[in-house]
Amino acid sequence: MRRSSHESRKAPVRYFRDDVRMTDWNSMLRDQLIWHWNGQLRPRLDGLTDEEYFWEPVADCWNVRPRGTGIAQMQAGTGAMTIDFAFPEPEPVPFTTISWRLGHVIVGVLAMRNASHFGRTPTDYESFEYATTAAEALDQLDAELATWLTGVESLGEEGLAEPCGPAEGPYAERSMAELVLHINRELIHHLSEVSLLRDLYLHKNGSLR
């Protein structure tokens, strides 16, 4: 059974690794994310059910849906599932489900950056094959994060100071270190949203496990 957010906060906290020098910026940037991932984020995703994954807390959510059943202006993706979206976004932006938020993290935050910077096969929202189950989505998330962290490690210290390049559009001249910090923020805040939605589901529907 998954841990509640309260139980997660009871875990011992280690703020620094003993084997990381204060000038080892590459390790420190990765450790910022790895600490949250191992101690907070990933344990909160354990046991995610398909019911939670596709659950719509309110009407007219953006979701990941079987092909041909999307409700948004546009649907993207190859394979059996597509993700709802629109451009430009409507006001207000529709509420998004766990599956939609994980899709954004897997594709927009990680996979596209892995392709741009670390040699992954090119992909984007329209060409990605979205998961049909929660378990498959978590496998995709784990794989893309592993690729990202390996890529960041390969930059060493000097690579962190290099510009991101044209893949990052108007931020092309910003350093790779700034991009790594941005990805850390994106993962921490989006996966915290997913954790909150799991808590809401539990309190509204009870556990299905």
Side-chain angles (χ1 to χ4, degrees):
M1 184 173 179
R2 68 183 175 91
R3 295 186 297 175
S4 69
S5 56
H6 176 71
E7 289 170 331
S8 296
R9 287 194 294 270
K10 292 180 181 178
V13 176
R14 293 183 68 247
Y15 292 99
F16 301 104
R17 270 178 38 195
D18 296 334
D19 60 337
V20 174
R21 304 187 316 274
M22 290 302 292
T23 55
D24 186 356
W25 298 112
N26 191 295
S27 291
M28 292 175 71
L29 288 173
R30 285 180 287 116
D31 280 355
Q32 182 188 52
L33 176 58
I34 291 169
W35 184 89
H36 281 282
W37 177 258
N38 290 336
Q40 299 286 336
L41 300 176
R42 191 57 178 85
R44 296 283 280 113
L45 299 176
D46 286 344
L48 182 69
T49 66
D50 292 347
E51 289 86 353
E52 291 173 283
Y53 181 63
F54 293 114
W55 177 55
E56 299 190 5
V58 297
D60 301 322
C61 286
W62 277 0
N63 207 341
V64 173
R65 306 176 187 277
R67 179 170 297 280
T69 65
I71 65 168
Q73 176 187 2
M74 306 171 73
Q75 293 82 45
T78 60
M81 310 296 285
T82 61
I83 193 168
D84 295 326
F85 78 105
F87 186 81
E89 293 180 336
E91 289 289 343
V93 178
F95 195 86
T96 56
T97 63
I98 289 176
S99 64
W100 195 99
R101 291 167 199 249
L102 286 179
H104 169 62
V105 168
I106 293 164
V107 182
V109 177
L110 290 172
M112 291 172 62
R113 264 46 181 265
N114 285 335
S116 297
H117 302 288
F118 300 129
R120 185 202 189 280
T121 303
T123 193
D124 56 24
Y125 287 111
E126 295 187 350
S127 63
F128 192 80
E129 187 168 342
Y130 294 92
T132 60
T133 66
E136 183 184 356
L138 294 181
D139 286 344
Q140 291 176 339
L141 177 63
D142 291 341
E144 295 297 343
L145 180 64
T147 299
W148 172 256
L149 290 173
T150 299
V152 172
E153 183 176 14
S154 74
L155 294 172
E157 299 295 300
E158 293 183 0
L160 289 173
E162 294 295 321
C164 294
E168 298 303 324
Y171 305 103
E173 297 304 315
R174 299 290 185 90
S175 69
M176 284 297 296
E178 290 177 273
L179 177 61
V180 173
L181 286 169
H182 171 66
I183 297 303
N184 287 359
R185 290 191 298 266
E186 285 282 279
L187 290 170
I188 290 168
H189 99 252
H190 282 306
L191 295 179
S192 295
E193 293 170 344
V194 170
S195 298
L196 182 59
L197 281 173
R198 291 203 75 189
D199 285 341
L200 181 62
Y201 180 91
L202 177 65
H203 285 278
K204 286 182 67 68
N205 300 284
S207 175
L208 296 179
R209 291 177 293 284

